[in-house]
């Protein structure tokens, strides 16, 4: 379910610049927010997972900073809030290397056409195009 708003642009464009999309699944709900109006947007980009046994917050995404807040200890991660050190992430480098390897060695892509179509259809629905 998309919620798209045009708030900026001083009337000069129709860019949807303050948006929310809600994706409903059998056992979870996903909320995606996007605002091009947000101050210092790069540092505020985040990915948050919330569950019955804890939460994980990746913010910022680049460079990655992961905070866990667990109800009980899990593996090497203690109960409560902790920071997980992650390796540096360079956007698209791994994906482009994998694509090049598939092309060079005539391997199939790791994503099927059906999976890709589902992603693209979901994106279209999230921006209000049926």
């Amino acid at each position: 379910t998309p919620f798209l708003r045009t708030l900026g642009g001083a009337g000069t464009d129709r860019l949807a610049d303050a948006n929310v999309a809600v994706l409903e699944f059998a056992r979870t709900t996903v909320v995606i927010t996007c605002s091009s109006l947000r101050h210092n947007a790069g540092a505020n980009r985040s990915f948050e997972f919330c569950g019955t046994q804890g939460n994980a917050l990746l913010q910022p995404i680049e460079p990655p900073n992961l905070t866990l807040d667990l109800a009980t200890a899990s593996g090497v991660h203690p109960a409560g809030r902790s920071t997980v050190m992650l390796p540096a992430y360079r956007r698209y480098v791994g994906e482009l290397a994998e694509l090049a390897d598939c092309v060079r060695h005539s391997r199939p892509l790791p994503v099927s056409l059906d999976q890709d179509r589902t992603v693209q259809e979901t994106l279209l629905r999230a921006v209000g195009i049926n």
Side-chain angles (χ1 to χ4, degrees), residues 16-32:
D17 52 22
N19 310 298
V20 173
V22 179
L23 288 74
E24 298 175 89
F25 298 93
R27 298 191 61 201
T28 192
T29 300
V30 175
V31 179
I32 301 169

Side-chain angles (χ1 to χ4, degrees), residues 87-110:
Y89 172 73
R90 292 184 55 215
R91 190 185 322 195
Y92 309 126
V93 171
E95 293 88 346
L96 287 173
E98 183 174 46
L99 174 61
D101 188 60
C102 289
V103 170
R104 286 183 186 122
H105 299 100
S106 298
R107 287 191 310 107
L109 295 171

Side-chain angles (χ1 to χ4, degrees), residues 36-106:
S36 62
L37 304 173
R38 189 171 188 167
H39 170 72
N40 199 16
N44 288 304
R45 291 177 63 224
S46 65
F47 212 80
E48 185 172 15
F49 301 86
C50 302
T52 58
Q53 296 300 308
N55 308 312
L57 174 63
L58 181 65
Q59 184 180 24
I61 296 174
E62 298 170 288
N65 181 40
L66 178 63
T67 303
L68 295 179
D69 189 359
L70 301 177
T72 59
S74 178
V76 299
H77 305 292
R81 186 168 288 213
S82 63
T83 300
V84 177
M85 299 304 296
L86 297 173
Y89 172 73
R90 292 184 55 215
R91 190 185 322 195
Y92 309 126
V93 171
E95 293 88 346
L96 287 173
E98 183 174 46
L99 174 61
D101 188 60
C102 289
V103 170
R104 286 183 186 122
H105 299 100
S106 298

Side-chain angles (χ1 to χ4, degrees), residues 4-19 34-37:
L4 310 173
R5 301 292 181 264
T6 300
L7 302 175
T12 60
D13 66 47
R14 297 183 331 176
L15 175 70
D17 52 22
N19 310 298
C34 177
S35 176
S36 62
L37 304 173

